[in-house]
Amino acid sequence: MRRTKTMLMGDLLEEFFKRPYIAAKVAEGRLPDTWRAIVGDLAAESTTELRLERHILHVRIRSSVLRQELFFQRDALRDEINRRSGVRLVNAVIVR
């Protein structure tokens, strides 16, 4: 509670969600939507598992052709996920 400078609730929430831990958790919750936006609808439909453990993204793909293509683009996927998330969420991508 402040007496000198009042703050709007929106400003307080914005400040709260900018904290690194909170921003990372929000980005982790949005990961399926971020994945779909990056790889597209068809590739997202072929994704059977999308799991983040210790900053390593584990992706399981049904299609062997798509799996091979995403395997070669792991670094680009990692960079794009981090860019869209606004935090360093993923250090490595493992495609299976």
Side-chain angles (χ1 to χ4, degrees), residues 18 20 23-24 27 34 79-89:
K18 283 184 180 178
T34 304
D79 295 341
E80 186 63 17
I81 289 170
N82 289 335
R83 186 188 71 77
R84 289 184 186 223
S85 299
V87 294
R88 183 130 179 105
L89 185 64

Side-chain angles (χ1 to χ4, degrees), residues 7 12 14 17-18 22 27-28 39 42 49 51-52 71-72 74 91:
M7 292 185 75
L12 286 172
E14 183 178 335
F17 284 116
K18 283 184 180 178
I22 302 298
E28 186 177 339
V39 299
L42 293 175
E49 179 183 5
R51 179 173 39 97
L52 186 65
F71 177 80
F72 288 121
R74 292 181 317 238
N91 292 335

Side-chain angles (χ1 to χ4, degrees), residues 2-69:
R2 293 183 171 185
R3 292 180 184 227
T4 57
K5 180 184 173 191
T6 59
M7 292 185 75
L8 298 174
M9 186 60 119
D11 294 338
L12 286 172
L13 287 174
E14 183 178 335
E15 185 179 313
F16 176 74
F17 284 116
K18 283 184 180 178
R19 292 179 180 177
Y21 178 78
I22 302 298
K25 286 299 181 183
V26 170
E28 186 177 339
R30 292 181 180 161
L31 190 58
D33 295 331
T34 304
W35 177 257
R36 181 174 292 278
I38 293 170
V39 299
D41 290 334
L42 293 175
E45 293 299 321
S46 294
T47 304
T48 59
E49 179 183 5
L50 194 63
R51 179 173 39 97
L52 186 65
E53 286 183 357
R54 296 182 182 151
H55 299 284
I56 298 174
L57 181 62
H58 299 271
V59 181
R60 191 172 301 268
I61 306 289
R62 275 187 235 130
S63 168
S64 61
V65 175
L66 181 60
R67 184 180 319 118
Q68 188 73 13
E69 182 66 30

